[in-house]
Coordinates of all heavy atoms in Angstrom, one line a residue:
S1 N 83.0 80.5 98.2 CA 82.9 81.9 98.7 C 83.3 82.1 100.1 O 83.9 83.1 100.5 CB 81.5 82.4 98.5 OG 80.6 81.6 99.2
A2 N 83.1 81.0 100.9 CA 83.5 81.1 102.3 C 85.1 81.1 102.4 O 85.7 81.7 103.2 CB 82.9 80.0 103.2
K3 N 85.7 80.2 101.5 CA 87.1 80.1 101.5 C 87.7 81.5 101.1 O 88.7 81.9 101.6 CB 87.6 79.0 100.6 CG 87.3 77.6 101.1 CD 87.7 76.6 100.1 CE 87.3 75.2 100.6 NZ 87.7 74.2 99.6
I4 N 87.1 82.1 100.0 CA 87.6 83.3 99.5 C 87.5 84.4 100.6 O 88.4 85.2 100.8 CB 86.9 83.7 98.2 CG1 87.3 82.7 97.1 CG2 87.2 85.1 97.8 CD1 86.5 82.9 95.8
A5 N 86.3 84.4 101.3 CA 86.1 85.4 102.3 C 87.1 85.3 103.5 O 87.6 86.2 104.0 CB 84.7 85.3 102.9
K6 N 87.5 84.0 103.8 CA 88.5 83.8 104.8 C 89.8 84.2 104.4 O 90.6 84.8 105.2 CB 88.5 82.3 105.2 CG 89.3 81.9 106.4 CD 89.2 80.5 106.8 CE 90.0 80.2 108.0 NZ 89.8 78.9 108.5
I7 N 90.2 84.0 103.1 CA 91.5 84.4 102.6 C 91.6 86.0 102.6 O 92.6 86.6 102.9 CB 91.7 83.9 101.2 CG1 91.9 82.4 101.2 CG2 92.9 84.6 100.5 CD1 91.9 81.7 99.9
H8 N 90.5 86.6 102.3 CA 90.5 88.1 102.2 C 90.1 88.8 103.5 O 89.7 89.9 103.5 CB 89.5 88.5 101.1 CG 89.9 88.2 99.7 ND1 91.0 88.8 99.1 CD2 89.5 87.3 98.8 CE1 91.1 88.3 97.9 NE2 90.2 87.4 97.7
G9 N 90.3 88.1 104.6 CA 90.1 88.8 105.9 C 88.7 88.8 106.3 O 88.3 89.7 107.1
G10 N 87.9 87.9 106.0 CA 86.5 87.8 106.4 C 85.7 89.0 105.9 O 84.8 89.5 106.6
G11 N 85.9 89.4 104.7 CA 85.1 90.4 104.1 C 85.7 91.8 104.2 O 85.1 92.7 103.6
R12 N 86.8 91.9 104.8 CA 87.4 93.2 104.9 C 88.2 93.5 103.6 O 88.7 92.6 103.0 CB 88.4 93.3 106.1 CG 87.8 93.3 107.4 CD 88.9 93.4 108.5 NE 89.8 94.5 108.3 CZ 89.8 95.6 109.1 NH1 89.1 95.6 110.1 NH2 90.7 96.5 108.8
E13 N 88.3 94.8 103.3 CA 89.1 95.2 102.2 C 90.6 95.2 102.6 O 90.9 95.8 103.6 CB 88.7 96.6 101.7 CG 87.3 96.6 101.0 CD 87.3 95.9 99.7 OE1 88.3 95.9 99.0 OE2 86.3 95.3 99.3
L14 N 91.4 94.6 101.9 CA 92.8 94.5 102.3 C 93.6 95.7 101.8 O 94.6 96.1 102.4 CB 93.5 93.2 101.7 CG 93.0 92.0 102.4 CD1 93.7 90.8 101.8 CD2 93.1 92.0 103.9
L15 N 93.2 96.4 100.7 CA 94.0 97.5 100.2 C 94.1 98.7 101.2 O 95.2 99.2 101.4 CB 93.3 98.0 98.9 CG 94.1 99.2 98.2 CD1 95.5 98.7 97.8 CD2 93.3 99.6 97.0
P16 N 93.0 99.1 101.8 CA 93.2 100.2 102.8 C 94.1 99.8 104.0 O 94.9 100.6 104.5 CB 91.7 100.5 103.3 CG 90.8 100.0 102.3 CD 91.6 98.8 101.6
D17 N 94.0 98.5 104.4 CA 94.8 98.1 105.5 C 96.3 98.0 105.0 O 97.2 98.4 105.8 CB 94.4 96.7 105.9 CG 93.1 96.7 106.7 OD1 92.7 97.7 107.2 OD2 92.5 95.6 106.7
A18 N 96.5 97.7 103.8 CA 97.9 97.6 103.3 C 98.5 99.1 103.2 O 99.6 99.3 103.5 CB 98.0 96.9 101.9
I19 N 97.6 100.0 102.7 CA 98.1 101.4 102.6 C 98.4 102.0 104.0 O 99.4 102.7 104.2 CB 97.0 102.2 101.9 CG1 96.9 101.8 100.4 CG2 97.3 103.7 102.0 CD1 95.8 102.4 99.7
K20 N 97.5 101.7 105.0 CA 97.8 102.1 106.4 C 99.1 101.5 106.9 O 99.8 102.2 107.6 CB 96.6 101.7 107.3 CG 95.4 102.5 107.0 CD 94.2 102.0 107.9 CE 92.9 102.7 107.6 NZ 91.8 102.1 108.4
A21 N 99.3 100.3 106.7 CA 100.5 99.6 107.1 C 101.7 100.3 106.5 O 102.7 100.5 107.2 CB 100.5 98.1 106.8
L22 N 101.7 100.5 105.2 CA 102.8 101.2 104.5 C 103.0 102.6 105.1 O 104.2 103.0 105.3 CB 102.6 101.2 103.0 CG 103.6 101.9 102.2 CD1 104.9 101.1 102.3 CD2 103.2 102.1 100.8
A23 N 102.0 103.3 105.3 CA 102.1 104.7 105.9 C 102.7 104.6 107.3 O 103.6 105.4 107.6 CB 100.7 105.3 106.0
I24 N 102.3 103.7 108.1 CA 102.9 103.5 109.5 C 104.4 103.2 109.4 O 105.2 103.8 110.1 CB 102.2 102.5 110.3 CG1 100.8 103.0 110.6 CG2 102.9 102.1 111.5 CD1 99.8 101.9 111.2
I25 N 104.8 102.3 108.5 CA 106.2 101.9 108.3 C 107.0 103.1 107.8 O 108.1 103.4 108.3 CB 106.3 100.8 107.3 CG1 105.8 99.5 107.9 CG2 107.7 100.6 106.8 CD1 105.6 98.3 106.9
L26 N 106.4 103.9 106.9 CA 107.2 105.1 106.4 C 107.3 106.2 107.5 O 108.4 106.8 107.6 CB 106.4 105.7 105.2 CG 106.5 104.8 103.9 CD1 105.7 105.5 102.8 CD2 108.0 104.6 103.5
V27 N 106.3 106.4 108.3 CA 106.4 107.3 109.4 C 107.4 106.9 110.4 O 108.3 107.7 110.8 CB 105.0 107.5 110.1 CG1 105.1 108.3 111.4 CG2 104.1 108.3 109.2
V28 N 107.4 105.6 110.8 CA 108.4 105.1 111.8 C 109.8 105.2 111.2 O 110.8 105.6 111.8 CB 108.1 103.7 112.2 CG1 109.2 103.1 113.0 CG2 106.8 103.6 113.0
W29 N 110.0 104.9 109.9 CA 111.3 105.0 109.2 C 111.7 106.5 109.2 O 112.9 106.8 109.5 CB 111.2 104.5 107.8 CG 112.4 104.5 107.1 CD1 112.8 105.4 106.1 CD2 113.6 103.6 107.3 NE1 114.1 105.1 105.7 CE2 114.6 104.0 106.4 CE3 113.8 102.6 108.1 CZ2 115.8 103.4 106.3 CZ3 115.0 101.9 108.0 CH2 116.0 102.3 107.1
G30 N 110.9 107.4 108.9 CA 111.2 108.8 108.9 C 111.6 109.3 110.3 O 112.6 110.1 110.4
H31 N 110.9 108.9 111.3 CA 111.3 109.3 112.6 C 112.6 108.7 113.0 O 113.4 109.4 113.7 CB 110.2 108.9 113.6 CG 109.0 109.8 113.6 ND1 109.0 111.1 114.1 CD2 107.8 109.7 113.1 CE1 107.9 111.7 113.9 NE2 107.1 110.8 113.3
A32 N 112.9 107.5 112.6 CA 114.2 106.9 112.9 C 115.3 107.6 112.2 O 116.4 107.8 112.8 CB 114.2 105.4 112.5
I33 N 115.1 108.0 111.0 CA 116.1 108.8 110.3 C 116.4 110.1 111.0 O 117.5 110.5 111.2 CB 115.7 109.1 108.8 CG1 115.7 107.8 108.0 CG2 116.6 110.2 108.2 CD1 115.1 108.0 106.6
Q34 N 115.3 110.8 111.5 CA 115.5 112.1 112.2 C 116.2 111.8 113.5 O 117.1 112.6 113.9 CB 114.1 112.7 112.5 CG 113.5 113.4 111.3 CD 112.3 114.1 111.7 OE1 111.4 113.6 112.4 NE2 112.1 115.3 111.2
Y35 N 115.8 110.8 114.2 CA 116.4 110.5 115.5 C 117.9 110.2 115.4 O 118.7 110.7 116.2 CB 115.7 109.4 116.2 CG 116.2 109.1 117.6 CD1 115.9 109.9 118.7 CD2 117.0 107.9 117.8 CE1 116.5 109.6 119.9 CE2 117.6 107.7 119.0 CZ 117.3 108.5 120.1 OH 117.8 108.2 121.3
F36 N 118.3 109.3 114.5 CA 119.7 108.9 114.4 C 120.5 109.9 113.6 O 121.8 109.7 113.5 CB 119.8 107.5 113.8 CG 119.2 106.5 114.8 CD1 118.1 105.7 114.4 CD2 119.9 106.2 116.0 CE1 117.6 104.8 115.3 CE2 119.4 105.3 116.8 CZ 118.3 104.5 116.5
H37 N 119.9 110.9 113.0 CA 120.7 111.8 112.2 C 121.5 112.8 113.0 O 122.5 113.3 112.6 CB 119.7 112.6 111.2 CG 120.5 113.4 110.2 ND1 120.6 114.8 110.4 CD2 121.1 113.1 109.1 CE1 121.3 115.3 109.4 NE2 121.6 114.3 108.6
G38 N 121.0 113.1 114.2 CA 121.7 114.0 115.1 C 120.8 115.2 115.4 O 119.6 115.2 115.2
H39 N 121.4 116.2 115.9 CA 120.7 117.4 116.4 C 120.8 118.6 115.4 O 120.3 119.7 115.8 CB 121.2 117.8 117.7 CG 120.9 116.7 118.8 ND1 119.6 116.4 119.2 CD2 121.7 115.9 119.4 CE1 119.6 115.5 120.0 NE2 120.9 115.1 120.2
S40 N 121.4 118.4 114.3 CA 121.4 119.5 113.3 C 120.1 119.4 112.4 O 119.9 118.4 111.7 CB 122.6 119.5 112.4 OG 122.7 118.3 111.7
Y41 N 119.3 120.4 112.5 CA 118.1 120.4 111.7 C 118.1 121.5 110.6 O 117.3 122.4 110.6 CB 116.9 120.7 112.6 CG 116.7 119.5 113.6 CD1 116.9 119.7 115.0 CD2 116.2 118.3 113.2 CE1 116.8 118.7 115.9 CE2 116.1 117.3 114.1 CZ 116.3 117.5 115.4 OH 116.1 116.5 116.3
D42 N 119.0 121.4 109.7 CA 119.1 122.3 108.6 C 118.3 121.7 107.5 O 118.8 121.0 106.6 CB 120.6 122.5 108.1 CG 120.7 123.6 107.1 OD1 119.7 124.3 106.9 OD2 121.8 123.7 106.6
Y43 N 117.0 121.9 107.6 CA 116.0 121.2 106.7 C 116.2 121.4 105.2 O 116.2 120.5 104.4 CB 114.6 121.6 107.1 CG 113.5 120.9 106.4 CD1 113.1 119.6 106.7 CD2 112.9 121.5 105.3 CE1 112.1 119.0 106.0 CE2 111.9 120.9 104.6 CZ 111.5 119.6 105.0 OH 110.5 119.0 104.3
W44 N 116.5 122.6 104.8 CA 116.6 122.9 103.4 C 117.9 122.5 102.7 O 117.9 122.3 101.5 CB 116.3 124.4 103.2 CG 114.9 124.8 103.6 CD1 114.6 125.6 104.7 CD2 113.7 124.4 103.1 NE1 113.3 125.7 104.9 CE2 112.7 125.0 103.9 CE3 113.3 123.7 102.0 CZ2 111.3 124.8 103.6 CZ3 112.0 123.5 101.7 CH2 111.0 124.1 102.5
N45 N 118.9 122.4 103.5 CA 120.2 122.1 102.9 C 120.7 120.7 103.2 O 121.8 120.3 102.8 CB 121.3 123.1 103.5 CG 121.0 124.5 103.0 OD1 120.6 124.7 101.9 ND2 121.3 125.5 103.9
D46 N 119.9 119.9 103.9 CA 120.3 118.6 104.2 C 119.6 117.6 103.3 O 118.4 117.5 103.3 CB 119.9 118.3 105.7 CG 120.6 117.0 106.2 OD1 121.2 116.3 105.4 OD2 120.6 116.8 107.4

C-alpha cells in the first residue's frame, strides 16, 4: 500500500491534475495560435 501510494503521488488523485495539465496545455496552444496568426481577428470567418 505504501508503494501504491508513492506511485499515485502520495495519496493525491492524479485525474484532476491530469485534466488541469491538459487544460493549461490547450490554453497555451490556443494563445500561441492567436499570437502567430497575425492581427486579423475575423473570428466568425476564420
Side-chain angles (χ1 to χ4, degrees):
S1 62
K3 288 178 185 177
I4 292 172
K6 188 172 182 180
I7 290 171
H8 290 290
R12 286 181 56 111
E13 292 289 329
L14 293 180
L15 183 61
D17 291 338
I19 292 171
K20 288 177 189 177
L22 180 63
I24 290 169
I25 290 169
L26 290 176
V27 167
V28 170
W29 182 255
H31 283 285
I33 289 172
Q34 282 185 318
Y35 180 76
F36 291 116
H37 187 262
H39 295 290
S40 63
Y41 294 109
D42 191 10
Y43 182 79
W44 297 110
N45 294 324
D46 195 347

